[in-house]
Structures are given as structure tokens and as C-alpha cells.
């Protein structure tokens, strides 16, 4: 692999031991994947934050990197942690877990990585523009950054994203290269898609069908808003390993490369997505017949617009006493929700806005929840698969109805 003089110095340890170790990892992985050079990145999104996921070995690694002088060389943000950093007691998080979790956040901060603790960095200040190279972990954010923003990133694992943060570099391969960003499949949308839950399931269904590649969706009947695009990104990255999609005449690269895409459409494998055969059966399969213990909205983390909608729907209404109702979001989005009065409305109705975490990375089983209702196929996939919980998926409208009236 070709390295610049500066990169060689990093690899030789002239910028400290942490930089050397991080550089060695990037070069090794890059060489294994056939990269010919490294490129500079403009931001990193680092995963591996929840104590539930990284445990004591993860803390040890972070302590070593801090001791060796590791410092972020670029704008770096963090994925969700295992608890609300301020209000962990309200969540029922055990003290021992909380102490370890706070230690992890503090170690990242010592490396100058921002404690954003959110999977929607693109809505809270880490928002790369078209053709900007970044190194992000967190599959849903990677797919959103590539597809909606037109940024360039591979789906990094936690250690590699951290190595990129500590060096400001990534290997030039995969989705950093123009030739790998062209669609491989054409998805004709015959289903009526209106809500984020519909798009979440669409992503899940297409990911399951094609597993990998770059889908090009036909233009849906109604243009998807940001919440639908974020749900689609998460769904695609869940059942498959899809990190880039295009929507005809809608997403940035599909517009810019429209002529080329139209010429090549006939060579792509075609898949039709129908309402009755593809979308509805998933809603049917994951339907709760009794009340959930916990309703969770915010996978990926909720935007201020989603919180606003929920506040409007819950105003002057009461959530059933035996149902916990959580909205997961980023801490700074909650500040806005507080100021706007949305938090107050939601809390008065019996709901909570929790920040910095989500149901997948928090120690949910320890908290005693068994039956969950959500509008996210990603949350459903992980909670049924990894945690063996009983999970239902529904649209936000149906979820609010269940919260108020029960199943
Ligand atoms: Fe985000 Fe957690 Fe879902 S990290 S995408 S809310 S699983």
C-alpha cells in the first residue's frame, strides 16, 4: 500500500503509540481488502459504547489507548450507550452497570470523542456533505450517510472506526470508490408506503431478499420524508448488509447519475415489492395479542419532528398504567423537546423521553421487560433474535392507540 511521508511517520510511532497502533490496524485491514492507499476523513462515528456490548475487555482497551495518548484527529461522535447518562436511575439501571458505563464515556471523552451517544449523528452536528469521506460505524447511520447525504463511508466495525478517529484516516476501498456505488438491483415498489414503520419493513424485506448489493428503488407513490429514509436505512442494514441505496429521481446520486442508471436498469436484477405479499405479512407476523410491558419509539433515535408528532398525539391523553412508554433520542434533541414543551406533554401522559441509549444496547432483560411494541424492524429483529423477547411492530398511529386503549 502506498503511504505518504506523514502516514509513514504515524505508522513508525512518531505521533505516539496510540496513533501507531490505530494506523497499523487500518493499514492491515486495508491491505487485506486490496486498498492501494489511505485517504483523509472528515469525521468518525464510533460504536462499541454500551457496557453491555464491550464489557470489561472493552474498558481495558480504552484505558490502554488513553494511557498511550490516543486523541481524535477529526470530528468524532459516539453511538448510543447502555443507559441515559443523566437519568439512569429513572430507567432502573443497576449502579454497578452505571459506574462502568460512565467510565467508558469518560475514556472516550479523554480521547476527544464527543459524547453524543446517538445513532443519528447526521441530525446533531456530524452531517457530512455530498462526496465527503468519513469512517462511520453504526449500520443505520452508514446507510443514511451514503444514500441520503451522498457521503462516502464503508460500514466500519467499532475498533476500525475508533482507529480512524485516532488517525483521521481510512483505507480507500469499497464505497469510497465511485465504481462500487452503482446499483445492482432494481426494486419496483408496488406497495403503498406511508409511515416510517412501512419503510422500516421495506428495508427489512429487501435486505432479506438481496442480502448484499446496492438497491435502486423506483420512485414511491409518496416521496419519503427524513423519518422514512432513516427507517429504510436501518431496515436495509438489519436483515442484509446493505450500506447504500438509491431512489430514482429522489436521492442525490440517483438524480446526478440518472442517465447512467436508466441505461443500466435492464441489466439489474429486478425485484417487485407488493403490499399484500411483502409488507403486510411482516406486520401480521409481529403482532401482539396482549398488552406490551414497554413501548419503544426511536430506533434509529427519534428526530424532533417525531417527538413533536408524538406530543401532539398524546396531548391530554393517558397511557395505560401497566405500559412503560419510552422515546429514545439524542440528548440535544431532548433539550429542544424540553424547551418546546413536548417533554412536558409526553411526561404528563405517562411517557418518558430517554436519551443516550436505546432498547437494543441497554440491559433490557435486567430491567424486566419481556414484551415490547415498536415501529422499528431493526429493534424487532435484534430483540427477537438476540434477546428472545416477544416483540410487535406497528405504525406510530397504531402504537399510540395501543398505549391509550390497550390491545
Ligand atoms: Fe440506533 Fe439502537 Fe436502533 S443504536 S438504530 S436505536 S438499535
Amino acid at each position: 500500500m502506498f503511504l505518504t511521508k506523514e502516514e509513514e511517520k504515524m505508522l513508525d510511532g512518531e505521533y505516539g503509540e496510540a496513533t501507531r497502533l490505530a494506523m497499523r490496524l487500518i493499514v492491515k485491514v486495508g491491505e487485506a481488502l486490496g486498498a492501494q492507499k489511505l485517504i483523509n476523513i472528515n469525521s468518525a462515528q464510533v460504536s462499541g459504547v454500551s457496557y453491555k456490548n464491550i464489557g470489561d475487555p472493552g474498558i481495558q482497551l480504552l484505558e490502554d489507548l488513553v494511557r498511550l495518548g490516543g486523541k481524535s484527529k477529526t470530528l468524532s461522535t459516539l453511538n448510543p450507550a447502555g443507559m441515559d447518562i443523566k437519568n439512569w436511575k429513572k430507567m432502573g439501571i443497576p449502579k454497578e452497570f452505571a459506574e462502568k458505563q460512565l467510565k467508558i464515556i469518560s475514556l472516550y471523552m479523554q480521547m476527544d470523542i464527543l459524547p453524543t451517544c446517538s445513532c443519528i449523528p447526521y441530525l446533531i452536528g456530524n452531517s457530512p456533505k455530498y462526496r465527503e469521506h468519513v469512517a462511520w460505524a453504526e449500520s443505520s447511520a452508514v446507510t443514511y450517510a451514503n444514500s441520503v447525504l451522498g457521503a462516502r463511508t464503508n460500514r466500519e466495525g467499532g475498533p476500525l472506526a475508533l482507529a480512524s478517529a485516532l488517525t483521521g484516516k481510512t483505507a480507500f476501498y469499497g464505497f469510497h470508490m465511485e465504481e462500487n456505488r452503482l446499483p445492482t438491483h432494481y426494486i419496483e415498489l408496488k406497495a403503498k408506503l406511508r409511515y416510517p414503520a412501512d419503510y422500516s419493513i421495506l428495508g427489512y424485506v429487501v435486505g432479506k431478499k438481496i442480502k448484499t448489493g446496492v438497491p435502486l428503488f423506483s420512485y414511491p407513490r409518496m416521496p419519503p420524508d427524513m423519518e422514512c429514509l432513516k427507517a429504510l436505512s436501518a431496515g436495509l442494514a438489519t436483515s442484509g448488509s446493505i450500506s447504500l441505496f438509491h431512489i430514482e429521481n429522489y436521492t442525490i446520486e440517483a438524480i446526478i447519475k440518472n442517465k447512467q442508471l436508466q441505461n443500466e436498469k435492464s441489466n439489474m436484477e429486478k425485484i417487485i415489492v407488493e403490499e399484500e405479499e411483502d409488507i403486510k405479512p411482516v406486520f401480521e407476523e409481529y403482532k401482539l395479542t396482549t398488552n406490551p410491558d414497554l413501548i419503544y419509539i426511536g430506533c434509529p433515535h427519534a428526530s424532533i419532528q417525531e417527538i413533536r408528532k408524538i406530543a401532539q398525539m398524546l396531548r391530554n391523553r393517558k397511557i395505560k398504567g401497566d405500559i412503560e412508554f419510552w422515546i429514545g433520542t439524542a440528548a440535544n434533541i431532548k433539550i429542544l423537546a424540553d424547551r418546546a414543551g413536548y417533554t412536558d406533554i409526553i411526561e404528563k401522559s405517562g411517557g418518558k423521553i430517554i436519551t443516550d441509549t436505546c432498547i437494543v444496547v441497554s440491559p433490557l432483560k435486567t430491567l424486566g421487560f419481556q414484551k415490547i411494541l415498536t415501529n422499528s424492524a431493526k429493534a424487532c429483529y435484534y430483540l427477537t433474535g438476540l434477546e428472545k423477547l416477544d416483540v410487535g411492530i406497528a405504525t406510530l398511529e397504531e402504537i399510540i392507540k395501543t398505549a391509550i386503549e390497550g390491545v
Side-chain angles (χ1 to χ4, degrees), residues 103-299:
K103 169 107 193 161
I104 292 169
I105 306 288
S106 149
L107 289 164
Y108 276 121
M109 286 172 71
Q110 288 173 61
M111 290 189 275
D112 200 17
I113 297 176
L114 292 170
T116 45
C117 300
S118 178
C119 52
I120 49 167
Y122 45 86
L123 293 185
I124 53 167
N126 184 358
S127 183
K129 60 185 189 308
Y130 178 58
R131 296 190 75 142
E132 199 168 310
H133 293 280
V134 298
W136 282 16
E138 174 41 48
S139 58
S140 67
V142 164
T143 308
Y144 190 96
N146 270 324
S147 316
V148 181
L149 306 180
R152 270 75 171 127
T153 177
N154 289 314
R155 180 173 168 169
E156 307 289 6
L160 212 51
L162 177 57
S164 286
L166 297 181
T167 55
K169 305 277 177 183
T170 193
F172 186 61
Y173 72 97
F175 290 121
H176 292 287
M177 303 171 83
E178 285 307 305
E179 59 266 39
N180 296 329
R181 299 182 64 88
L182 291 171
T184 54
H185 297 74
Y186 183 65
I187 317 292
E188 192 177 332
L189 295 176
K190 291 201 170 163
K192 201 161 67 183
L193 304 157
R194 282 179 297 166
Y195 304 108
D198 299 332
Y199 276 91
S200 184
I201 290 178
L202 169 68
Y204 171 79
V205 165
V206 171
K208 211 166 158 190
K209 280 182 197 269
I210 73 172
K211 293 284 174 222
T212 183
V214 179
L216 168 65
F217 292 97
S218 63
Y219 189 85
R221 288 186 211 175
M222 278 165 61
D225 60 14
M226 186 271 290
E227 282 72 29
C228 290
L229 293 168
K230 134 170 122 58
L232 175 61
S233 300
L236 283 167
T238 294
S239 52
S241 56
I242 294 165
S243 298
L244 169 63
F245 68 85
H246 305 292
I247 301 176
E248 274 185 320
N249 296 313
Y250 198 62
T251 51
I252 186 162
E253 276 171 86
I255 293 172
I256 290 170
K257 296 176 187 163
N258 187 33
K259 225 178 175 173
Q260 189 183 2
L261 299 194
Q262 293 308 323
N263 289 339
E264 285 174 19
K265 219 157 95 177
S266 54
N267 299 326
M268 296 171 206
E269 190 184 325
K270 186 173 165 182
I271 287 165
I272 297 174
V273 175
E274 309 263 8
E275 177 113 3
E276 296 297 324
E277 282 96 82
D278 297 299
I279 305 295
K280 266 195 184 163
V282 181
F283 277 119
E284 286 304 320
E285 188 181 345
Y286 296 99
K287 199 174 191 137
L288 294 185
T289 49
T290 53
N291 281 353
D293 313 320
L294 172 67
I295 285 176
Y296 181 85
I297 297 159
C299 175

Side-chain angles (χ1 to χ4, degrees), residues 20 41 60 100 102 217 221 228 351 380 383 394 404 407:
R20 186 186 75 78
I41 53 159
Q60 184 62 57
K100 301 267 188 182
L102 292 172
F217 292 97
R221 288 186 211 175
C228 290
C380 179
L383 296 175
I404 308 289
V407 171

Side-chain angles (χ1 to χ4, degrees), residues 79-80 119 138 140 234 296 298-301 358 360-361 378:
N79 232 31
C119 52
E138 174 41 48
S140 67
Y296 181 85
C299 175
H301 271 173
C358 78
V360 174
V361 297
K378 177 172 178 178

Side-chain angles (χ1 to χ4, degrees), residues 293-294 364-365 368-372 387-391:
D293 313 320
L294 172 67
L364 208 59
K365 269 195 172 163
F369 297 115
Q370 292 295 334
K371 193 174 281 195
I372 321 287
E387 310 272 354
K388 310 281 177 245
L389 296 173
D390 194 3
V391 185

Side-chain angles (χ1 to χ4, degrees), residues 23-145:
M23 197 63 170
R24 200 174 71 169
L25 179 64
I26 293 172
V27 170
K28 283 257 177 261
V29 173
E31 279 175 347
L33 293 166
Q36 311 261 312
K37 63 174 185 176
L38 302 182
I39 47 172
N40 292 331
I41 53 159
N42 286 351
S43 81
Q45 165 78 2
V46 178
S47 67
V49 185
S50 171
Y51 177 62
K52 178 184 162 193
N53 295 348
I54 67 168
D56 292 325
I59 293 183
Q60 184 62 57
L61 173 71
L62 296 175
E63 278 176 339
D64 289 346
L65 288 171
V66 168
R67 187 173 40 79
L68 297 172
K71 285 272 180 234
S72 177
K73 307 281 188 301
T74 184
L75 169 68
S76 299
T77 44
L78 275 189
N79 232 31
M83 61 183 201
D84 188 314
I85 294 175
K86 246 173 134 183
N87 295 311
W88 54 269
K89 279 188 193 146
K90 273 196 204 160
M91 276 181 79
I93 298 286
K95 190 162 168 270
E96 310 73 61
F97 185 97
E99 281 169 1
K100 301 267 188 182
Q101 186 60 73
L102 292 172
K103 169 107 193 161
I104 292 169
I105 306 288
S106 149
L107 289 164
Y108 276 121
M109 286 172 71
Q110 288 173 61
M111 290 189 275
D112 200 17
I113 297 176
L114 292 170
T116 45
C117 300
S118 178
C119 52
I120 49 167
Y122 45 86
L123 293 185
I124 53 167
N126 184 358
S127 183
K129 60 185 189 308
Y130 178 58
R131 296 190 75 142
E132 199 168 310
H133 293 280
V134 298
W136 282 16
E138 174 41 48
S139 58
S140 67
V142 164
T143 308
Y144 190 96

